[in-house]
C-alpha cells in the first residue's frame, strides 16, 4: 500500500514483487503472497476470457509483475507453466484451492507504464534480460493522464484492437488510489480503447465515522494519495458505469481479510529481514486499523467490455 514499504523491502530482498499489498494469511513468504494477489486478479478477470489478450499495465513499477505476467502467460511459456504451489483461499468461498494459470488465456503483447524514471529504467533492463517470447515494452509517463502519454505508447495502444481474436485489458495493481486528480481520465480512456479493466484497489467502508475519515485524511497526506480516491463500492461501480462500462459486467470482490491482517503481521516481524521495526511501525498500525475496523477495504475489481 505505501510506496516506502515496497522500496524498503526491495533493498534487503531484491527479488520481492513491487506490490504494496499481498495475500499473507496463508504464507509467510512475501514474494509468494504478492504472486497470490496477482493470481487472484488474473483469475477473477480472465478465467472466462476466450480470446488471447494484450495487457496495458499502469503503475508497473520496477517490472516485477511484468516479468511474472510474461513468464506465466507469454505465448511460448503459458502452456508449459506449472500451477502455483501456493494454496490460497478464494475470496468468495470457505474452501482453499490451488491457484493455476492453465485456464487463463495467452498473452500476446505487454505494455507497461510507470511514473518514475528510475523504475522505468530498471523495468526495461530486467525485461530485456529476460528475453521475452512476445513483444514487451516499458514506458515512463503519468498513467493517470492519457493525453500526456508517450507518443509511441499511445500509438501502440490505439492500434491494439485491430485483431478480432484478441482482447485488450487494462491492469492496475495497487496503484489507482494514488492517481491524481482521480481514476476517471484513465478509465474513460480505457473505454474508448475498448479495453476491459482488472485491478486491485482500495475502497472506503460503507459506514465510516467523521473521526475515521479524519484519520484517513491524515494517512492520505502522508502517502500522497488523494482522499477523494477513497470511495465506497457503490460509488466505484457508479464511476465505472459513468465512464462507459456496463453495470452487469462489473464485479467487485472484497479480499480485505486476506490482505491487511497478514501484511500487518509481516511488518511486525520485519526485523527478521534485517529491517528495524521503527521503519514500519506506523504502516503496521494503519494495516491493523483497517483489518479490524473495515474503514478501508481491499478489492479485486473487474469490468468487461
Amino acid at each position: 500500500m505505501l510506496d516506502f514499504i515496497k522500496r524498503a523491502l526491495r533493498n534487503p530482498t531484491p527479488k520481492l514483487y513491487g506490490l504494496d499489498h499481498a495475500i499473507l494469511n496463508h504464507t509467510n513468504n512475501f514474494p509468494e503472497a504478492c504472486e497470490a494477489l496477482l493470481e487472484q486478479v488474473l483469475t477473477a478477470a480472465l478465467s472466462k476470457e476466450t480470446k488471447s489478450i494484450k495487457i496495458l499495465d499502469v503503475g508497473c513499477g520496477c517490472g516485477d509483475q511484468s516479468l511474472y505476467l510474461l513468464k506465466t502467460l507469454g505465448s511460448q511459456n503459458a502452456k508449459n507453466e506449472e500451477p502455483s504451489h501456493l494454496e490460497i483461499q478464494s475470496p468468495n468461498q470457505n474452501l482453499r484451492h490451488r491457484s493455476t494459470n492453465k485456464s487463463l488465456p495467452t498473452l500476446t503483447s505487454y505494455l507497461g507504464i510507470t511514473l518514475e524514471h528510475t523504475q522505468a529504467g530498471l523495468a526495461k533492463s530486467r525485461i530485456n534480460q529476460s528475453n521475452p517470447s512476445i513483444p514487451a515494452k516499458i514506458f515512463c509517463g503519468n498513467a493517470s493522464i492519457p493525453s500526456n502519454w508517450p507518443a509511441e505508447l499511445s500509438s501502440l495502444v490505439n492500434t491494439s484492437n485491430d485483431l478480432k481474436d484478441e482482447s485488450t485489458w487494462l491492469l492496475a495493481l495497487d496503484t489507482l488510489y494514488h492517481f491524481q486528480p482521480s481514476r476517471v481520465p484513465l478509465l474513460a480512456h480505457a473505454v474508448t480503447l475498448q479495453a476491459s479493466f482488472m485491478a486491485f484497489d482500495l475502497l472506503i467502508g460503507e459506514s465510516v465515522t467523521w473521526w475515521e475519515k479524519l484519520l484517513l485524511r491524515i494517512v492520505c497526506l502522508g502517502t500522497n494519495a488523494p482522499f477523494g480516491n477513497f470511495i465506497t463500492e457503490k460509488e466505484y461501480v457508479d464511476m465505472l458505469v459513468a465512464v462507459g462500462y456496463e453495470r452487469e459486467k462489473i464485479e467487485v470482490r472484497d479480499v480485505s481479510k486476506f490482505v491487511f491482517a497478514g501484511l500487518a503481521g509481516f511488518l511486525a516481524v520485519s526485523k527478521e529481514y534485517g529491517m528495524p521495526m521503527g521503519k514500519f511501525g506506523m504502516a503496521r498500525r494503519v494495516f491493523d486499523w483497517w483489518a479490524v475496523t473495515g474503514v478501508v477495504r481491499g478489492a479485486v475489481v473487474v469490468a468487461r467490455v
Side-chain angles (χ1 to χ4, degrees):
M1 171 260 173
L2 309 176
D3 283 341
F4 72 85
I5 294 178
K6 63 182 176 184
R7 289 171 184 165
L9 287 173
R10 177 173 291 279
N11 290 333
T13 51
K15 292 185 179 180
L16 292 182
Y17 278 73
L19 299 176
D20 297 314
H21 289 103
I23 296 179
L24 283 157
N25 280 37
H26 302 306
T27 178
N28 292 322
N29 184 290
F30 195 81
E32 284 188 351
C34 291
E35 288 182 7
L37 180 58
L38 177 53
E39 287 174 356
Q40 286 288 297
V41 175
L42 295 175
T43 301
L46 303 178
S47 59
K48 298 180 181 179
E49 179 63 75
T50 59
K51 301 179 180 180
S52 58
I53 63 169
K54 298 182 178 183
I55 287 181
L56 170 60
D57 185 2
V58 295
C60 63
C62 297
D64 300 292
Q65 63 209 40
S66 312
L67 293 173
Y68 181 83
L69 290 167
L70 291 169
K71 176 183 177 182
T72 58
L73 300 181
S75 58
Q76 293 184 15
N77 296 319
K79 293 182 179 180
N80 298 322
E81 184 69 19
E82 292 296 324
S84 169
H85 294 294
L86 173 64
E87 288 189 348
I88 55 180
Q89 190 168 3
S90 171
N92 294 332
Q93 299 177 9
N94 293 321
L95 300 176
R96 291 158 68 92
H97 71 281
R98 286 189 181 276
S99 176
T100 176
N101 58 53
K102 285 192 173 181
S103 62
L104 299 182
T106 298
L107 179 66
T108 58
S109 71
Y110 172 88
L111 299 173
I113 180 171
T114 186
L115 182 61
E116 297 188 14
H117 288 278
T118 53
Q119 290 186 347
L122 178 57
K124 289 179 183 178
S125 175
R126 297 175 73 191
I127 287 178
N128 290 338
Q129 291 176 9
S130 72
N131 191 26
S133 60
I134 61 173
K137 289 191 174 184
I138 300 291
F139 297 87
C140 183
N142 189 343
S144 66
I145 308 177
S147 59
N148 290 344
W149 286 358
E152 183 182 1
L153 173 60
S154 295
S155 176
L156 290 171
V157 169
N158 288 331
T159 59
S160 63
N161 271 333
D162 289 345
L163 299 179
K164 294 182 179 180
D165 59 346
E166 289 183 334
S167 297
T168 300
W169 281 84
L170 172 68
L171 171 64
L173 280 173
D174 199 24
T175 185
L176 289 181
Y177 52 88
H178 281 297
F179 277 25
Q180 300 186 27
S182 73
R183 308 171 179 87
V184 172
L186 173 65
L187 295 174
H189 188 60
V191 172
T192 66
L193 297 173
Q194 296 183 312
S196 296
F197 168 63
M198 55 179 166
F200 172 82
D201 210 350
L202 298 183
L203 312 177
I204 196 170
E206 297 291 341
S207 301
V208 179
T209 67
W210 69 268
W211 173 246
E212 290 170 329
K213 288 182 179 179
L214 177 60
L215 292 178
L216 183 57
R217 282 184 179 274
I218 295 173
V219 172
C220 289
L221 287 174
T223 59
N224 197 32
F227 176 76
N229 278 347
F230 287 82
I231 56 180
T232 65
E233 178 179 333
K234 180 182 182 303
E235 291 170 332
Y236 203 110
V237 172
D238 289 344
M239 173 187 65
L240 290 171
V241 172
V243 299
Y245 289 105
E246 297 180 28
R247 190 177 299 272
E248 296 75 17
K249 296 182 179 180
I250 298 171
E251 179 182 357
V252 181
R253 298 183 181 181
D254 190 338
V255 296
S256 304
K257 63 181 179 180
F258 307 115
V259 176
F260 298 138
L263 187 52
F266 177 81
L267 293 178
V269 296
S270 61
K271 60 183 179 181
E272 296 179 11
Y273 295 82
M275 299 173 288
M277 187 56 233
K279 196 172 187 178
F280 304 102
M282 184 57 67
R284 179 180 62 81
R285 291 183 179 90
V286 169
F287 292 134
D288 268 334
W289 174 44
W290 292 355
V292 172
T293 65
V295 168
V296 170
R297 298 165 50 201
V300 173
V301 184
V302 177
R304 298 177 176 86
V305 294

